[in-house]
Amino acid sequence: MKRILLTGGHGLLGKEIGNLLRRRFDVRITDLQECDVTSLPACRGAIGGFRPQVVIHCAAYTAVDRAEAEPAAAFAVNAEGTRNVALASREIGALVVTFGTDYVFDGTSSRPYREEDPVHPLSVYAKSKLAAEEALRETGCDHLLIRSQWLFGPGGKNFIRTILEKAGRGETLRVASDQTGCPTSTKDLAGAVEKLLEAGARGTVHFSNGGEATWFDLARFALDRSASGAAALLPAATRDLPYPASRPPYSVLSKEKYREITGDSPRPWDVAVAEFLGSLSAERPIP
Ligand SMILES: NC(=O)c1ccc[n+]([C@@H]2O[C@H](COP(=O)([O-])OP(=O)(O)OC[C@H]3O[C@@H](n4cnc5c(N)ncnc54)[C@H](OP(=O)(O)O)[C@@H]3O)[C@@H](O)[C@H]2O)c1
């Protein structure tokens, strides 16, 4: 049976991938305690000890706004961490699967971003994730980099949960209506990882759900389908919101290459969000 090791296995995406792949593979879940990716010896210990055929590297520094004040921490985890995972994996000949972000683009495109489009990150987080991509390639390890965007799912903190919680507390919500991307289900991304592995994909591949939306559209959709529908929700311009990190105004990812490789078409984001909201209301009443 194929052995797979996960870093960041308790995060939003790592949990979903672990849950899916442990049905078919011998999966070793690690997180900060078992494998701090900023330490090369820790990576060598965890990866060399288990000797997986595939390392799925989900560990990351993901606090986009906090990174503006903590660039060293963001680069240590994202860039150096990825280099360490890649080096330790190369030493045992394991394939590294890891995740990039739509934020490596500056948002000036008028069509969905393709894998080969020029990158121009606008924030510290985005620069640290681009440095992670470069570190991955520089090590020469066998790799698959999946860029994705706007993740939501049951495994942790995400935009939809935050919106519902704030609405439940009666807060007025001001949400950016001038950033367009595509919400992506961690369940669907985990499924895409499995399909790409089966297809033997390598290099860089984009994946998100289908369609496009602004953060405001996503908040409106989530609130309309929950008991919080009447919450005060106002569209806002990014420049009027108190977030320190710059974000691309447009960052929809093209799924053409993913479709060509796997034959699979990602389902529309609203279908995936509706399913997620259904699972939340089964878990507990939405406020
Ligand atoms: N979330 C999104 O919208 C999004 C969009 C595009 C791409 N991505 C990428 O997708 C991947 C997974 O993201 P996610 O949303 O699942 O992130 P997440 O929920 O923040 O999970 C990241 C995990 O990494 C762990 N971690 C942090 N520092 C570590 C270290 N030094 N060593 C080992 N583990 C460490 C975290 O542990 P602690 O919680 O204890 O810190 C957490 O469990 C990342 O590469 C991210 O950049 C995410």
Side-chain angles (χ1 to χ4, degrees):
M1 195 184 196
K2 199 174 240 186
R3 287 185 303 283
I4 296 182
L5 182 138
L6 255 71
T7 71
H10 298 315
L12 180 66
L13 178 60
K15 273 189 198 149
E16 202 67 41
I17 293 178
N19 287 340
L20 178 71
L21 296 187
R22 67 158 68 96
R23 298 177 198 165
R24 289 180 51 199
F25 304 104
D26 181 7
V27 177
R28 168 84 43 100
I29 309 279
T30 71
D31 209 292
L32 189 56
Q33 313 305 322
E34 302 83 16
C35 178
D36 178 347
V37 298
T38 61
S39 157
L40 180 57
C43 292
R44 283 190 168 130
I47 294 169
F50 187 55
R51 299 193 74 79
Q53 285 84 11
V54 182
V55 174
I56 304 187
H57 174 42
C58 299
Y61 179 109
T62 57
V64 176
D65 289 300
R66 205 169 68 220
E68 295 298 307
E70 296 181 350
F75 273 81
V77 179
N78 291 345
E80 282 316 302
T82 299
R83 183 183 304 281
N84 292 337
V85 169
L87 287 172
S89 302
R90 195 190 61 188
E91 283 164 12
I92 61 155
L95 166 68
V96 179
V97 179
T98 191
F99 302 90
T101 169
D102 56 327
Y103 286 180
V104 294
F105 299 114
D106 63 13
T108 52
S109 176
S110 52
R111 51 137 180 90
Y113 278 99
R114 298 188 188 120
E115 288 76 0
E116 64 280 8
D117 282 335
V119 289
H120 180 208
L122 302 177
S123 65
V124 169
Y125 167 74
K127 286 174 187 161
S128 72
K129 291 294 293 180
L130 179 59
E133 293 190 5
E134 288 162 356
L136 181 73
R137 296 183 189 112
E138 274 163 23
T139 60
C141 70
D142 190 18
H143 71 267
L144 169 63
L145 169 78
I146 305 171
R147 290 200 193 114
S148 191
Q149 61 188 146
W150 298 28
L151 300 186
F152 65 87
K157 195 168 155 0
N158 62 78
F159 175 82
I160 298 175
R161 262 185 204 275
T162 304
I163 286 291
L164 295 179
E165 283 164 10
K166 286 187 173 179
R169 291 196 294 269
E171 292 180 30
T172 297
L173 304 162
R174 296 170 64 237
V175 177
S177 56
D178 56 0
Q179 289 173 40
T180 300
C182 186
T184 302
S185 153
T186 51
K187 179 180 161 189
D188 293 9
L189 178 51
V193 169
E194 191 173 33
K195 290 185 181 83
L196 288 165
L197 281 174
E198 277 166 4
R202 296 292 190 275
T204 304
V205 181
H206 289 174
F207 180 85
S208 70
N209 278 116
E212 58 181 54
T214 66
W215 291 112
F216 178 80
D217 296 334
L218 176 56
R220 180 78 279 156
F221 183 87
L223 291 173
D224 283 350
R225 276 156 187 76
S226 74
S228 321
L233 173 68
L234 303 172
T238 299
R239 66 172 178 279
D240 296 331
L241 293 171
Y243 300 114
S246 295
R247 290 162 166 84
Y250 177 87
S251 60
V252 178
L253 297 173
S254 164
K255 269 75 70 180
E256 257 171 65
K257 184 171 176 185
Y258 172 77
R259 283 197 199 96
E260 272 167 27
I261 295 173
T262 62
D264 175 52
S265 266
R267 61 183 170 159
W269 68 264
D270 51 343
V271 174
V273 172
E275 182 186 88
F276 173 58
L277 292 169
S279 71
L280 277 186
S281 54
E283 186 184 293
R284 61 169 172 76
I286 294 175

